Amino acid sequence: MRYQEYVDWEFAAMAASALSSYPGEDTVLCLKEGLRASGWHVRLNCAEALIYGLGLSKTLLFDIYNGRDRYAREILNYVLEKEEIRRKDREEGQWHV
């Protein structure tokens, strides 16, 4: 399965979210490719699927961080920072909705 830019962004975004429950090399490659999509919804869902769903660390995403796509790096950083804030809030007993 490969991300196709001509597909409506809504379907691509939903597919990225759904892929978060299918671990495997093909899934990771597909989601990494989706990080280069033109729509930020698709990029965000791919980043969240890689980090939340598949549990990939920043180290395992080194190819994205060392790549040429600044927006892919920024969306991954956003998701990682958001997760770090949530983790700290849970440790401190604070919950944000």
Side-chain angles (χ1 to χ4, degrees):
M1 177 187 302
R2 299 193 68 166
Y3 171 72
Q4 301 291 324
E5 192 69 39
Y6 61 83
V7 176
D8 292 338
W9 70 266
E10 294 96 341
F11 296 119
M14 289 186 313
S17 293
L19 284 174
S20 68
S21 60
Y22 294 95
E25 187 177 329
D26 289 339
T27 301
V28 171
L29 292 174
C30 183
L31 291 169
K32 284 182 175 182
E33 188 174 332
L35 287 173
R36 295 191 310 260
S38 61
W40 72 268
H41 289 90
V42 177
R43 287 178 183 249
L44 177 63
N45 287 6
C46 287
E48 289 180 344
L50 286 165
I51 293 166
Y52 298 145
L54 301 179
L56 296 185
S57 66
K58 193 171 185 176
T59 305
L60 295 173
L61 298 167
F62 71 92
D63 54 330
I64 303 299
Y65 283 101
N66 290 329
R68 304 183 113 199
D69 190 337
R70 184 182 102 209
Y71 298 116
R73 283 191 304 273
E74 288 178 359
I75 199 75
L76 285 175
N77 278 332
Y78 169 76
V79 172
L80 285 167
E81 287 174 13
K82 185 170 67 168
E83 178 59 19
E84 181 65 20
I85 290 168
R86 288 180 179 169
R87 185 186 61 75
K88 285 182 181 179
D89 283 350
R90 284 191 301 267
E91 288 174 359
E92 295 172 4
Q94 298 175 10
W95 294 90
H96 296 283
V97 178

